[in-house]
């Protein structure tokens, strides 16, 4: 700049004094117009510092300056203008360089936190209180951590766990009012509740009972019951004694029913929980509660919302069992196990209740009595919203269960506390210049302990809208059950984003390490260590399997051992604090950081950070399982080539979209929105459009339930190896059925092909060789 200034001064000395007209941009009310000013040439140095487009008029010769002899007029004029042209060229070069640097700094996506701009919209004008300018990713991250650190998570967890909050109770009504009031005090754009009238099961003196011989069936999985039968102990007509864990209560009871059992007793096996003496363990007199509806939501309005149940006749969900189930304590289970005879259970089935090996049975005949009745109960979900700036109709949703049958410290108090802290933190960020591109929707769910009733009823009520508007769902339920292991139950679309965020959050119990470094220290394949499928008993499951919205539920766990007090009367703040040995605040803070930074990325990134190509890998992995049966199918004149072709089309469509995005104009808001719409609906594309949501609500071909799913197709193919007739076209109800297989293959193939076509964009852009 000193050299430039020197050249400018020299040009002033060599140039004639002249009068020039400078056009400068006018700010304020007349913004966008140009104003003409007459300025003396000697003040040009000051003028150059701020003028925009300018016009240089030909200088008028002054009488005091002699004319140069023997010069052509245009040559003389060119010589007089030369210093100005040199100066103008230097200014243009310098300005272009500075402009290019600023533009590069604002658009570089791979240059580290120091230059990555989160707010990339042309019209974005953030509050200047924070760093006196545009908000960068590092700014937002620092702002978020600053305000989050001012919260009192531990106190909120303790206070919430002390409150009665069974769905439909007076205590829950009071808590609902308090949480809504807390949200109303924050800087939110909207706060509201919705009420559903749902059928919930409560204890009742009316008696229902069944009688049968008792047999021991491990966890009650299909393979356990098959093994039981193979060892000469038939479950038909008998009561099954099964252990808590591995699969849900509902799955245990459904499996027992499918194998002809009369009823189920479910107990907590001490061998399944941590035996570390310093840590508390579940009382041997304590039973573990749970629901047995193989589904989510109100089981008496399956597929429909329960805004006003009187509109609909009572209809029982197909997921409700027809046999009774009862939780019992370890003490009662021990007494029953002592009475069992028959074969000794396999080594992996053995537990720690007896001094002698467990037997399979049968044992004495027992009468099982279950006392329940259905009550129409009002439940309330609470909502708070921060409207987005550019895409307000696209929602990033985060929620936590509020209700609990007992103290529910780990089950719902932790999630509720983190949810409230995130609301407070993002509200403070809004007051300091943060405005997300997409809307943030915070939700406190009711009726979670009865099978994610509140969340599912809301999804059913807005089914026709949410797959167009909800971007991602983040669940805070069951977030802190320990601190040794970290799991993320999620859709494949979120895997890459989770990896990125794990690198930004410090481990709560490994000083100097991020969560990502903690994970890869024990297993270099981080996703094999962390990523799990979404289970049906998660509130996040319905978002993905029912509505087609990618979802994630985080869980810190204790060395892969189950938290012993979950779903019991002993899930207290004190026990949770003891299990974590005083690290509860740090682990809860880590979950809040994970969730919060995930929300920032999802709500503020210009392009949605969802890995839409990941499903190509998922399909390829499953095709490996299908290939095992290609020989059996070929012998019957059948082929899997259709599935392979559909998978290829999906891969090509994903790569084509990626290339389109890469080569598009970054600042084109119309294109950006179009790409975001295509990306956010990828999960929805994997809901089978050929089955009814009322008959098969979980339509997702990879995560759902029903004959349309890949899992059902694989189960059917396995019958090829066990078909007793061994003849093509066998139609036995228990064997492989060719007509059923063809239908399953068509449902799977055309859903996958439809996903490929939808990802391709407009119909004239679809290019496949199916």
């Amino acid at each position: 700049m000193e050299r430039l200034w020197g050249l400018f001064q020299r040009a002033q000395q060599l140039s004639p004094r002249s009068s020039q007209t400078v056009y400068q941009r006018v700010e304020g009310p007349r913004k966008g117009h140009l104003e003409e000013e007459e300025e003396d040439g000697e003040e040009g140095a000051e003028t150059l510092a701020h003028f925009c487009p300018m016009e240089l008029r030909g200088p008028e010769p002054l009488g005091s300056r002699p004319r140069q002899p023997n010069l052509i007029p245009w040559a003389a004029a060119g010589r007089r203008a030369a210093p100005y042209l040199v100066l103008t060229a230097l200014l243009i070069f310098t300005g272009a360089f500075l402009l290019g640097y600023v533009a590069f700094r604002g658009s570089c996506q791979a240059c580290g936190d120091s230059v990555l701009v989160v707010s990339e919209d042309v019209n974005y004008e953030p509050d200047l209180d924070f760093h006196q300018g545009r908000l960068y990713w590092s700014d937002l991250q620092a702002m978020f951590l600053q305000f989050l650190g001012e919260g009192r998570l531990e106190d909120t967890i303790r206070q919430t766990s002390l409150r009665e909050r069974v769905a439909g109770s007076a205590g829950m009504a009071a808590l609902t009012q308090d949480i809504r009031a807390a949200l109303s005090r924050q800087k939110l754009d909207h706060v509201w509740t919705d009420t559903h009238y749902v059928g919930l099961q409560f204890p009742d003196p009316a008696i229902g009972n069944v009688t049968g011989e008792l047999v021991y069936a491990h966890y009650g999985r299909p393979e356990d019951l098959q093994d039981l039968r193979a060892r000469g102990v038939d479950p038909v007509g008998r009561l099954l004694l099964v252990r808590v864990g591995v699969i849900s209560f509902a799955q245990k009871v459904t499996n027992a029913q499918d194998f002809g059992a009369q009823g189920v007793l479910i107990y907590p096996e001490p061998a399944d929980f941590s035996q570390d003496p310093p840590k508390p363990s579940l009382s041997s007199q304590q039973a573990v509660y749970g629901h047995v509806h193989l589904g989510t939501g109100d089981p008496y309005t399956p597929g429909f919302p329960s805004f006003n149940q009187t509109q609909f006749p009572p209809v029982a969900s197909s997921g409700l069992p027809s046999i009774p189930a009862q939780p019992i304590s370890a003490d009662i289970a021990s007494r029953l196990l002592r009475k069992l005879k028959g074969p000794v259970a396999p080594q992996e089935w053995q537990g720690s209740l007896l001094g002698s090996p467990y037997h399979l049975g049968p044992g004495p005949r027992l009468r099982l009595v279950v006392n329940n009745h259905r009550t129409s109960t009002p439940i309330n979900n609470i909502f708070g919203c921060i409207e987005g700036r550019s895409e307000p109709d696209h929602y990033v949703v985060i929620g936590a269960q509020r209700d609990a049958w007992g103290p529910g410290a780990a089950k719902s108090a932790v999630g509720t506390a983190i949810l409230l802290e995130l609301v407070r933190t993002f509200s403070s960020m809004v007051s300091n210049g943060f405005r997300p591109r997409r809307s943030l929707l915070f939700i406190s769910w009711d009726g979670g302990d009865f099978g994610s009733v509140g969340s599912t009823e809301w999804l059913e009520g807005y089914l026709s809208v949410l797959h167009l508007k909800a971007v991602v769902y983040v669940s805070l339920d069951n977030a802190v059950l320990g601190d040794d292991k970290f799991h993320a139950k999620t859709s494949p679309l979120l895997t890459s984003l989770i990896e990125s965020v794990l690198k930004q959050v410090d481990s709560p119990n490994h000083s100097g390490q991020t969560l990502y470094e903690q994970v890869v220290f024990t297993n270099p394949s981080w996703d094999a260590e962390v990523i799990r499928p979404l289970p049906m008993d998660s509130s996040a499951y319905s978002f993905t399997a029912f509505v087609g919205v990618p979802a994630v539920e985080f869980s810190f766990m204790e060395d892969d051992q189950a938290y012993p007090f979950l779903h019991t009367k002993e899930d207290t703040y004190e026990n949770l604090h003891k299990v974590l040995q005083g690290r509860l605040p740090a682990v809860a803070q880590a979950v809040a950081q994970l969730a919060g930074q995930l929300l920032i990325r999802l709500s503020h990134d210009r392009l949605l950070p969802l890995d839409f190509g990941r499903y190509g890998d998922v399909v390829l992995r499953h095709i490996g399982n299908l290939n095992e049966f290609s020989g059996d199918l070929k012998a019957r004149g059948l082929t899997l080539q259709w599935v392979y072709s559909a998978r290829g089309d999906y891969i090509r469509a994903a790569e084509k979209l990626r290339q389109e995005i890469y080569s598009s104009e970054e600042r084109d808001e119309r294109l950006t929105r179009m790409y975001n719409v295509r990306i956010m609906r990828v999960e929805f594309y994997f809901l089978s459009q050929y089955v009814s949501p009322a008959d098969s609500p979980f339509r997702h071909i990879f995560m759902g339930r029903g004959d349309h799913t890949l899992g059902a197709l694989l189960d059917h193919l396995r019958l090829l190896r066990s078909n007793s007739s061994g003849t093509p076209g066998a139609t036995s109800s228990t064997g492989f059925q060719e007509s059923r297989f063809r239908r399953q293959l068509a449902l799977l193939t055309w859903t996958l092909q439809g996903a490929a076509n939808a990802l391709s964009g407009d119909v004239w852009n679809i290019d496949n060789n199916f």
Side-chain angles (χ1 to χ4, degrees):
M1 290 302 296
E2 291 179 358
R3 295 180 61 187
L4 186 61
W5 179 248
L7 287 171
F8 172 74
Q9 288 182 319
R10 186 177 178 186
Q12 289 284 63
Q13 294 170 1
L14 295 175
S15 302
R17 292 173 58 89
S18 65
S19 174
Q20 62 182 11
T21 302
V22 177
Y23 291 90
Q24 65 180 27
R25 196 175 303 277
V26 178
E27 303 295 338
R30 298 178 59 192
K31 186 175 181 179
H33 298 283
L34 296 178
E35 182 179 77
E36 182 176 327
E37 292 183 356
E38 289 291 327
E39 298 199 2
D40 189 271
E42 291 184 350
E43 296 177 353
E46 296 177 5
T47 303
L48 288 171
H50 62 81
F51 73 80
C52 283
M54 70 177 184
E55 175 183 333
L56 294 178
R57 294 181 176 174
E60 299 176 1
L62 300 176
S64 60
R65 188 172 181 92
R67 180 179 296 272
Q68 295 289 340
N70 301 324
L71 276 179
I72 301 174
W74 62 263
R79 174 171 296 180
R80 289 194 298 271
Y84 292 96
L85 294 175
V86 171
L87 178 59
T88 301
L90 287 171
L91 286 173
I92 290 173
F93 174 80
T94 305
F97 175 82
L98 292 175
L99 182 62
Y101 171 77
V102 172
F104 174 80
R105 190 177 192 272
S107 62
C108 178
Q109 298 296 314
C111 308
D113 289 347
S114 61
V115 298
L116 179 59
V117 177
V118 180
S119 55
E120 296 183 335
D121 296 293
V122 175
N123 297 323
Y124 182 46
E125 297 179 6
D127 193 306
L128 299 182
D129 291 342
F130 200 86
H131 284 259
Q132 297 299 311
R134 179 176 263 184
L135 293 174
Y136 298 91
W137 164 247
S138 56
D139 296 333
L140 288 175
Q141 191 178 39
M143 185 194 294
F144 170 75
L145 294 176
Q146 172 193 337
F147 291 125
L148 181 68
E150 297 172 357
R152 303 178 64 183
L153 269 172
E154 189 175 14
D155 287 346
T156 308
I157 296 171
R158 182 192 296 110
Q159 292 166 11
T160 304
S161 66
L162 293 175
R163 300 186 66 160
E164 180 204 4
R165 55 189 195 283
V166 177
S169 68
M172 172 55 85
L175 180 60
T176 299
Q177 292 180 354
D178 290 347
I179 290 183
R180 174 162 183 167
L183 266 58
S184 298
R185 289 192 294 268
Q186 302 301 327
K187 195 175 181 62
L188 302 177
D189 296 303
H190 310 283
V191 176
W192 75 100
T193 61
D194 68 4
T195 302
H196 301 266
Y197 296 86
V198 298
L200 303 181
Q201 295 279 347
F202 292 98
D204 187 88
I207 294 174
N209 68 86
V210 294
T211 303
E213 293 177 318
L214 186 70
V215 297
Y216 173 53
H218 203 208
Y219 292 110
R221 298 168 295 184
E223 56 266 37
D224 296 332
L225 298 173
Q226 290 166 357
D227 196 358
L228 189 67
R229 182 179 286 169
R231 294 172 185 273
V233 181
D234 196 340
V236 173
R238 288 170 165 154
L239 301 180
L240 303 186
L241 177 64
V242 301
R243 292 152 69 151
V244 170
V246 181
I247 59 176
S248 69
F249 277 35
Q251 289 170 303
K252 296 175 193 292
V253 178
T254 297
N255 295 336
Q257 179 176 298
D258 291 344
F259 276 77
Q262 288 281 85
V264 184
L265 298 171
I266 307 172
Y267 80 97
E269 169 59 54
D272 292 334
F273 301 104
S274 175
Q275 303 299 309
D276 190 354
K279 296 182 180 179
S281 58
L282 185 67
S283 166
S284 60
Q285 293 87 34
Q286 182 66 60
V288 177
Y289 54 76
H291 73 92
V292 295
H293 174 215
L294 191 65
T296 61
D298 182 359
Y300 302 100
T301 59
F304 297 94
S306 297
F307 284 117
N308 185 350
Q309 197 178 32
T310 60
Q311 297 177 16
F312 307 103
V315 178
S317 165
S318 60
L320 281 176
S322 59
I323 63 174
Q326 179 66 42
I328 61 174
S329 68
D331 276 354
I332 295 176
S334 179
R335 290 162 56 189
L336 295 174
L337 283 165
R338 293 180 190 278
K339 298 180 181 297
L340 295 183
K341 300 184 182 182
V344 174
Q347 181 59 41
E348 61 270 21
W349 289 30
Q350 296 296 323
S352 59
L353 283 175
L354 305 178
S356 57
Y358 289 21
H359 288 255
L360 297 177
R365 291 179 66 82
L366 298 175
R367 184 164 66 99
L368 173 59
V369 178
V370 177
N371 305 324
N372 281 332
H373 78 289
R374 180 170 68 92
T375 302
S376 181
T377 307
I379 62 172
N380 294 280
N381 298 323
I382 311 169
F383 302 81
C385 175
I386 297 173
E387 276 198 36
R389 180 185 70 256
S390 304
E391 301 176 40
D393 56 331
H394 291 165
Y395 316 147
V396 178
V397 188
I398 184 165
Q401 175 183 328
R402 184 171 77 256
D403 66 296
W405 280 335
K411 177 62 180 175
S412 61
V414 169
T416 297
I418 295 174
L419 180 72
L420 292 175
E421 284 303 306
L422 289 174
V423 170
R424 185 194 57 77
T425 299
F426 277 95
S427 173
S428 299
M429 292 174 66
V430 167
S431 298
N432 283 268
F434 171 70
R435 195 70 188 181
R437 181 186 183 93
R438 300 169 194 93
S439 295
L440 284 167
L441 192 56
F442 304 91
I443 311 179
S444 175
W445 303 116
D446 199 352
D449 263 358
F450 291 85
S452 302
V453 175
S455 58
T456 302
E457 293 307 310
W458 183 68
L459 293 174
E460 288 175 343
Y462 301 98
L463 179 61
S464 59
V465 173
L466 287 177
H467 76 277
L468 302 172
K469 294 181 177 293
V471 176
V472 164
Y473 176 66
V474 179
S475 169
L476 297 173
D477 297 340
N478 304 308
V480 180
L481 306 175
D483 70 340
D484 291 317
K485 298 286 184 180
F486 173 77
H487 291 159
K489 303 162 189 174
T490 187
S491 159
L493 292 174
L494 288 165
T495 303
S496 297
L497 178 59
I498 291 169
E499 177 182 10
S500 174
V501 174
L502 286 178
K503 295 176 180 178
Q504 304 290 326
V505 178
D506 291 336
S507 166
N509 62 349
H510 289 72
S511 180
Q513 285 187 337
T514 64
L515 277 173
Y516 180 82
E517 291 168 338
Q518 175 186 334
V519 169
V520 296
F521 183 80
T522 57
N523 188 345
S525 178
W526 82 271
D527 51 347
E529 180 76 12
V530 170
I531 301 301
R532 298 287 186 273
L534 278 167
M536 184 180 283
D537 57 358
S538 164
S539 65
Y541 178 80
S542 290
F543 274 84
T544 299
F546 178 52
V547 182
V549 174
V552 59
E553 179 178 288
F554 300 122
S555 291
F556 280 92
M557 306 188 72
E558 195 75 10
D559 278 330
D560 285 334
Q561 292 286 334
Y563 174 69
F565 307 112
L566 199 64
H567 300 291
T568 75
K569 298 289 187 181
E570 296 180 10
D571 182 14
T572 63
Y573 166 81
E574 289 74 21
N575 278 335
L576 180 60
H577 198 274
K578 288 176 184 176
V579 166
L580 288 163
Q581 297 181 329
R583 292 193 294 271
L584 174 58
V587 181
Q589 187 84 354
V591 174
Q593 289 185 26
L594 269 171
Q597 297 196 49
L598 202 71
L599 294 182
I600 293 174
R601 291 289 311 277
L602 288 165
S603 67
H604 215 292
D605 277 13
R606 184 181 65 87
L607 280 169
L608 282 172
L610 301 180
D611 190 353
F612 50 85
R614 178 77 65 160
Y615 264 115
D617 301 330
V618 172
V619 177
L620 181 62
R621 188 164 61 249
H622 287 301
I623 283 178
N625 297 326
L626 294 174
N627 283 338
E628 179 185 346
F629 302 96
S630 58
D632 303 87
L633 292 172
K634 187 176 181 181
R636 293 171 173 264
L638 301 172
T639 179
L640 295 169
Q641 185 58 43
W642 289 357
V643 177
Y644 304 153
S645 297
R647 185 257 175 182
D649 285 342
Y650 183 85
I651 293 294
R652 286 188 287 275
E655 182 57 30
K656 182 180 177 183
L657 176 57
R658 186 177 287 109
Q659 290 298 328
E660 284 182 27
I661 294 173
Y662 179 78
S663 59
S664 66
E665 171 52 51
E666 181 177 286
R667 302 282 179 168
D668 188 327
E669 279 297 304
R670 186 187 68 84
L671 273 179
T672 297
R673 183 177 176 86
M674 182 185 73
Y675 290 140
N676 281 336
V677 166
R678 286 164 68 182
I679 292 170
M680 69 179 281
R681 294 181 187 170
V682 167
E683 198 76 73
F684 177 75
Y685 300 155
F686 291 102
L687 300 188
S688 177
Q689 304 301 304
Y690 308 100
V691 296
S692 163
D695 298 331
S696 301
F698 304 124
R699 293 179 293 152
H700 203 289
I701 59 173
F702 299 122
M703 302 182 207
R705 294 186 63 86
D707 226 32
H708 60 283
T709 63
L710 180 62
L713 176 65
L714 282 170
D715 289 342
H716 191 192
L717 281 173
R718 293 186 182 103
L719 295 177
L720 283 169
R721 306 287 173 84
S722 59
N723 191 350
S724 57
S725 65
T727 58
T731 58
S732 167
S733 60
T734 59
F736 179 82
Q737 302 173 55
E738 185 173 314
S739 60
R740 179 190 171 201
F741 170 77
R742 288 181 181 276
R743 174 174 169 77
Q744 286 180 303
L745 187 61
L747 290 172
L748 177 67
T749 302
W750 284 111
T751 302
L752 182 56
Q753 186 65 47
N757 293 344
L759 197 62
S760 296
D762 294 306
V763 291
W764 52 82
N765 290 325
I766 297 174
D767 180 21
N768 59 60
N769 301 310
F770 193 75

